[in-house]
Amino acid sequence: MLTAEEIRKIDHEIALVPVRKAACIEALKIVQEHRGWISDESLLAIAAHIEMSAEELDSVATFYNLIFRKPVGRNIILLCDSISCYVMGYEQIYDHLKARLNIKFGETTPDARFTLLPNACLGACDHAPTLMINHDLYKDLTINELDEILKTYK
Amino acid sequence: MEMPLTQHISFNRPPLNLNDYAHVGGYQGVHRAIKAMTPQEVMTVVQESDLKGRGGAGFNTGTKWSFVPMNDAKQTKYLIANADEMEPGAFKDRLLLEGNPHQLIEGMIVSAYAIQANTAYIFLRWAYKKAARLLRQAIDEAYAAGYLGNNILSSGFNLEMHLHTGVGRYICGEETALLNALEGKRATPRTKPPFPQVSGLFGKPTIVNNVETLSNIPHIINKGADWFKDLSPGADAGTKLYGISGKVNKPGIWELPMHTTIRQLIEEHAGGMKDGFKFRGVLPGGASTDFLIEEHLDVKMDYKSVAAAGSRLGTGTMIILDDHTCPVGFVHNLEHFFAQESCGWCTPCREGLPWTEKILLSIENGQGRMEDLELLEMHTKYMGPGSTFCALAPGAMEPLQSSLKYFKADFEKHINEKKCPWR
C-alpha cells in the first residue's frame, strides 16, 4: 500500500509526462525516500499505481545503482573507487572504514547505522579521494578525519 | 585572455542570482535571439562558430541542430542538457552547474528557440546535490522573470524546463540511453538510425547537448561566430574547460583556449608533478581515452592534435599516471568500472569486459601468463569500434590497448616475477 503522501507526489510526476509509465523511476525514488528501500511489497504497490507489470518495474528498479532492492542502513556511505580516487589512495580509506565499521562493501552494520557501498566517480576528481554520506560530499579525505566524520551520523 | 564560460564564476560567493547575472549582461543572448533573430539565424551562427560538442564526440553543434525537421511548426520537440557527467576523471560540468546555473539555462533557452522546442530537460546525475539545489532555484527565478513559461519576451515562444535527477549508471550519459532513462526505462542505448534529432524522446525530434556546449551558446549569440573562433589560436574554435587529477601539486580545472598543450596544463596550471613523483602517462580526456606518454607532452589539447597523437580529446579532463602507481592496477581499475557499468544489452560488452577485468586482476595478483597478453589484445579487437552496440566497450578498450603498447614491460614484469612490483 502506498501512503496518501506518496500517491500525491507520484501523481504530480505522472502529470508531467506524456506516458504514465515514464514516471516510474520518479515513483521509485519517492517511495525509497520515504521507506529507505524498495521492498517487494512496495514494488507491487508502485507497479499497480503506475499501471505496469511488477516484472517490468523490477527490471527498471534493478538496473539503476541507487534504487535499493535490499534493506539499507540509516546512513549510506558511498566511497568512490574510480580511477582518480584509486591513484590518490581510496584503498586506504576503504581499509580504515572496514576496520572501524567491521563491514565490507555491500554490507550494513548490525545496528543498521551504516551501509557501505562502492561508488563510481563522484565528479570531484581534483579533490580525490572522496566519499559521500547521504547528501554530504567529503573531499581530499585523509584517514585522520574519518572517525570524526562518522561520529556525526547517528 | 577571455574566459567567457567562467568569467562570472567565483567560489568565494554563491553563484550569481538572476538579477546579478542580468546586471553583467546575462540573458542578453535570449533577448537578442528571440527578439532580433529567426531560429534559422541562431542555428546558422552557431554552425559558423564551429562550436563542437564538449561531451566528447566533438560534432559541430549547429550541424547537429540542423538535422531537426523544422517543416511542421506544431510538432513537439525536446531539448535536453546532458548533465550526467559520470566518466571517471571528469568533473568539468560540475563547475558550470554549480558556478553559473543561469548561463546554462540561458544557453538552453536560446538553443530551444533555435530548434523550436517547447520542453527542455536537464538530466543531472544524482551525485550533484548542490548543483540540483542551485539549478532548481535558478529555474524558478527564470520562470518568475518571464524567461521561461508562456510567451517569453512577448514573442509567442513558450518553453517549459524540468530538472531530472538520475539514479546512477554511467550509460545514461550516452544520448539514446539517456532518452530511455527519461522515459522511465532501463537505460540501454537505442539503435541509430533513427537519430534522436528525428525520433528521440517519446518518439519526437530531440537534441541532447552537453552542459559546456550549451553554456557557450549565449556568448556566441552576443559576440558572433568570428569572435568565438578567435578565442583559439588554431583550427578548433573557442575555449575549453581542462581538468587534471592525480599526483600533481594543484589538481584542478581551468578555462583556456583550445590548443593549450598537455605540458602547459601540467606544469603551468597544475604546478607540475608532486615531489618524488614522476610522470609516466596520461589519459587526456577521461577514462575512455588512450594513454599518451612523455613524448606527447607537447601535443595540443584540441580534437585533431590529440587524435593525431593516437587518443581523443574526450572531455578534456586528464588523469595522470605516476611512477608510484601500477599501470596494471590502474587499467584494472578502469576495466572494473566499465564492466560494472555495461548495460548488458550486447554480448561483446557484457561478457568481454568482465573477462578483461578478470585477466587484469590475475596479472596484477601475480597469477598471469604470457598468453594472457594476447588474450587482452584479442579483446581490444573484439570490443573495438563497430563490434558493439554503442561506444561504451570501444571506449573501455582505448586505455587497455594503449597500456599494452606503452607499458608492456610492466605487464611482463608482473607475469615474470609473479607479483605486482608496486605492492
Side-chain angles (χ1 to χ4, degrees):
Chain A
M1 284 290 284
L2 299 173
T3 66
E5 164 96 353
E6 286 166 342
I7 289 173
R8 188 182 58 76
K9 287 184 182 167
I10 293 170
D11 286 348
H12 173 77
E13 295 298 330
I14 290 172
L16 289 175
V17 285
V19 184
R20 200 174 172 89
K21 272 203 283 194
C24 76
I25 295 176
E26 291 300 328
L28 289 164
K29 279 159 66 180
I30 289 163
V31 173
Q32 181 164 289
E33 187 74 32
H34 283 264
R35 308 179 184 193
W37 66 294
I38 303 293
S39 65
D40 289 349
E41 189 206 16
S42 302
L43 188 96
L44 288 166
I46 299 168
H49 189 73
I50 299 272
E51 295 166 15
M52 65 196 287
S53 75
E55 290 81 359
E56 190 181 0
L57 183 63
D58 202 16
S59 81
V60 174
T62 53
F63 184 85
Y64 293 97
N65 301 342
L66 291 156
I67 298 296
F68 303 128
R69 286 287 279 115
K70 285 183 190 167
V72 289
R74 293 189 295 281
N75 302 291
I76 313 253
I77 306 174
L78 296 162
L79 177 62
C80 176
D81 65 351
S82 289
I83 192 62
S84 305
C85 288
Y86 171 81
V87 171
M88 300 307 284
Y90 92 84
E91 284 167 325
Q92 287 150 27
I93 307 285
Y94 180 38
D95 287 344
H96 189 86
L97 286 173
K98 275 194 290 195
R100 272 292 171 278
L101 304 174
N102 207 19
I103 48 172
K104 301 192 296 288
F105 277 147
E107 294 178 347
T108 299
T109 54
D111 61 359
R113 188 169 157 214
F114 289 111
T115 293
L116 178 58
L117 298 172
N119 190 79
C121 191
L122 286 164
C125 317
D126 49 344
H127 294 287
T130 62
L131 64 73
M132 239 173 137
I133 305 182
N134 306 335
H135 289 222
D136 311 321
L137 177 68
Y138 293 94
K139 307 190 281 192
D140 301 305
L141 272 178
T142 58
I143 289 170
N144 303 336
E145 63 194 321
L146 269 180
D147 295 343
E148 283 303 311
I149 292 171
L150 292 177
K151 264 186 209 162
T152 59
Y153 297 89
K154 300 298 169 196
Chain B
M1 194 169 65
E2 280 190 274
M3 296 186 290
L5 292 175
T6 54
Q7 59 184 327
H8 300 306
I9 294 179
S10 162
F11 284 106
N12 302 322
R13 53 159 174 77
L16 298 181
N17 63 26
L18 189 137
N19 284 340
D20 292 339
Y21 180 63
H23 192 69
V24 294
Y27 286 100
Q28 281 311 306
V30 170
H31 280 270
R32 197 182 165 95
I34 292 187
K35 288 195 153 168
M37 297 168 81
T38 63
Q40 183 57 54
E41 284 168 341
V42 174
M43 210 179 274
T44 303
V45 87
V46 171
Q47 196 165 9
E48 284 171 359
S49 76
D50 199 27
L51 168 66
K52 293 192 172 94
R54 301 297 199 236
F59 192 76
N60 181 300
T61 305
T63 305
K64 187 176 189 178
W65 293 358
S66 73
F67 299 142
V68 173
M70 297 296 287
N71 45 355
D72 180 1
K74 291 214 174 70
Q75 166 82 281
T76 301
K77 303 188 202 82
Y78 295 102
L79 176 87
I80 300 170
N82 187 345
D84 193 50
E85 185 163 67
M86 208 176 146
E87 174 99 351
F91 50 97
K92 67 181 184 69
D93 293 336
R94 180 199 281 271
L95 176 80
L96 297 173
L97 294 161
E98 292 181 358
N100 197 351
H102 276 295
Q103 178 173 256
L104 170 66
I105 292 167
E106 183 183 6
M108 291 178 71
I109 298 167
V110 174
S111 307
Y113 174 74
I115 60 162
Q116 292 289 292
N118 297 124
T119 309
Y121 288 92
I122 301 172
F123 191 102
L124 181 72
R125 73 169 298 194
W126 66 274
Y128 287 4
K129 306 280 185 193
K130 185 178 172 191
R133 181 170 53 79
L134 295 169
L135 282 166
R136 274 195 196 100
Q137 214 171 306
I139 291 171
D140 287 347
E141 287 179 349
Y143 269 107
Y147 289 118
L148 289 172
N150 285 332
N151 198 16
I152 296 168
L153 303 179
S154 313
S155 64
F157 176 63
N158 309 328
L159 182 64
E160 298 295 328
M161 188 176 286
H162 308 291
L163 177 70
H164 175 93
T165 53
V167 267
R169 275 321 267 265
Y170 172 63
I171 195 65
C172 292
E174 200 277 343
E175 67 175 3
T176 61
L178 183 152
L179 299 176
N180 277 338
L182 264 185
E183 289 185 14
K185 297 173 180 161
R186 288 168 76 92
T188 48
R190 297 179 180 175
T191 318
K192 291 194 266 192
F195 286 89
Q197 294 93 315
V198 178
S199 176
L201 188 64
F202 301 112
K204 307 295 183 192
T206 304
I207 286 290
V208 184
N209 283 143
N210 167 264
V211 168
E212 187 183 349
T213 310
L214 290 164
S215 297
N216 271 300
I217 300 292
H219 307 290
I220 292 171
I221 296 302
N222 284 327
K223 296 183 176 163
D226 289 336
W227 165 84
F228 189 71
K229 283 187 195 159
D230 289 344
L231 287 173
S232 145
D236 278 318
T239 60
K240 179 78 194 79
L241 290 181
Y242 295 112
I244 296 188
S245 63
K247 298 272 178 43
V248 291
N249 282 313
K250 289 183 292 179
I253 184 156
W254 310 275
E255 182 183 10
L256 293 163
M258 277 278 185
H259 299 260
T260 306
T261 67
I262 297 174
R263 189 188 300 280
Q264 279 173 312
L265 283 162
I266 295 175
E267 289 175 9
E268 289 171 31
H269 300 282
M273 298 297 291
K274 275 183 197 285
D275 267 354
F277 292 89
K278 281 200 188 103
F279 173 90
R280 284 205 71 200
V282 57
L283 303 179
S288 65
T289 58
D290 277 282
F291 277 101
L292 295 178
I293 55 170
E294 199 159 9
E295 68 185 65
H296 302 117
L297 281 174
D298 292 309
V299 167
K300 295 182 170 73
M301 285 285 281
D302 60 60
Y303 296 98
K304 250 188 205 154
S305 311
V306 181
S311 187
R312 286 190 304 119
L313 179 65
T315 58
T317 40
M318 319 199 304
I319 309 149
I320 311 269
L321 170 69
D322 61 82
D323 64 338
H324 290 240
T325 302
C326 170
V328 178
F330 188 104
V331 177
H332 170 258
N333 179 278
L334 295 173
E335 299 310 327
H336 167 73
F337 167 82
F338 287 115
Q340 173 186 290
E341 294 300 325
S342 168
C343 80
W345 181 256
C346 74
T347 310
C349 180
R350 182 184 62 240
E351 305 295 328
L353 288 174
W355 193 350
T356 58
E357 184 196 348
K358 279 178 190 149
I359 296 171
L360 287 162
L361 184 63
S362 70
I363 297 174
E364 172 69 355
N365 288 342
Q367 292 147 352
R369 307 158 309 166
M370 279 301 170
E371 49 274 35
D372 287 338
L373 300 182
E374 287 158 38
L375 211 50
L376 288 173
E377 291 277 5
M378 181 195 84
H379 278 100
T380 65
K381 306 290 181 296
Y382 284 0
M383 283 184 276
S387 303
T388 59
F389 198 70
C390 82
L392 187 143
M397 290 302 98
E398 290 182 23
L400 177 60
Q401 69 196 11
S402 45
S403 69
L404 290 169
K405 180 168 153 194
Y406 295 126
F407 309 118
K408 194 154 196 178
D410 295 291
F411 282 82
E412 288 168 351
K413 206 168 176 200
H414 279 75
I415 295 167
N416 289 330
E417 294 180 4
K418 299 195 189 314
K419 68 179 182 65
C420 172
W422 278 267
R423 284 184 196 254

